[in-house]
Amino acid sequence: MKCVSILFLRIRLDGYGRLEICEFSGYKIYPSRGRLYVTSDSKTHRFLSSKTESLFKQRKNNRSLLWTVTYRKVNNKGVKGEVAKKRTRRAVKYNRAVVGASWDAINARRTETTAVRAEAVAKAKALRKDEAAKRKARVAKKSN
């Protein structure tokens, strides 16, 4: 009994001989069950029952029959595997310059106080008024 091959032990442990798979439905075919259909080109097809054999001969599509394993695989039915949590990619922020302004200038603007900012705005308004007055003077000079 010690000389028994590993293959024999495996078969004895699962309690059955060789299990076949139905070509149409995808179910297991246990020993002494099922039907074997051989086509004229010598291809063999194993079926679980006369029902599956009949449907195969009628050229029915097993992916459209709700009870077949193939349908369930195609349409993700009954799959309760571990659903991994979808990882979201976090945006990495970089501090960099923009066209027309260096990073130092942007950072200085960001950190300045409201008093300093108000003073800068008042200066800019005064400059605009001066430029507008100069333009008016030029236009008046040209028209004369």
Side-chain angles (χ1 to χ4, degrees):
M1 190 72 181
K2 289 183 178 179
C3 303
V4 178
S5 69
I6 296 169
L7 181 66
F8 179 76
L9 285 174
R10 188 177 62 78
I11 291 170
R12 297 290 291 150
L13 288 175
D14 68 10
Y16 300 103
R18 185 175 163 150
L19 294 179
E20 300 288 340
I21 301 293
C22 176
E23 200 168 301
F24 188 82
S25 67
Y27 289 127
K28 293 176 188 173
I29 305 172
Y30 290 94
S32 76
R33 296 280 179 261
R35 299 175 135 230
L36 183 66
Y37 175 68
V38 183
T39 55
S40 58
D41 59 347
S42 301
K43 285 186 181 175
T44 57
H45 303 280
R46 294 189 180 276
F47 300 108
L48 179 65
S49 61
S50 59
K51 173 186 176 180
T52 55
E53 184 182 8
S54 173
L55 290 166
F56 177 81
K57 287 178 179 176
Q58 292 173 50
R59 299 182 183 276
K60 297 287 183 187
N61 188 351
N62 57 358
R63 280 170 277 161
S64 62
L65 295 170
L66 306 180
W67 54 271
T68 61
V69 173
T70 318
Y71 171 85
R72 296 184 70 76
K73 280 183 184 173
V74 169
N75 295 290
N76 299 323
K77 301 292 181 185
V79 178
K80 290 191 177 180
E82 291 180 28
V83 179
K85 188 178 177 185
K86 192 174 179 182
R87 281 204 236 155
T88 54
R89 298 187 88 196
R90 305 251 174 194
V92 180
K93 293 186 178 182
Y94 291 103
N95 298 328
R96 56 184 176 194
V98 184
V99 177
S102 66
W103 172 243
D104 296 327
I106 294 169
N107 209 18
R109 268 263 174 97
R110 196 179 278 173
T111 55
E112 69 187 13
T113 60
T114 52
V116 174
R117 184 78 184 126
E119 191 179 308
V121 168
K123 237 186 214 181
K125 283 182 180 177
L127 278 172
R128 279 200 200 122
K129 275 187 181 179
D130 290 342
E131 286 175 13
K134 284 180 186 176
R135 270 192 233 122
K136 276 188 179 180
R138 277 189 226 137
V139 171
K141 210 179 203 182
K142 278 187 180 180
S143 64
N144 287 336

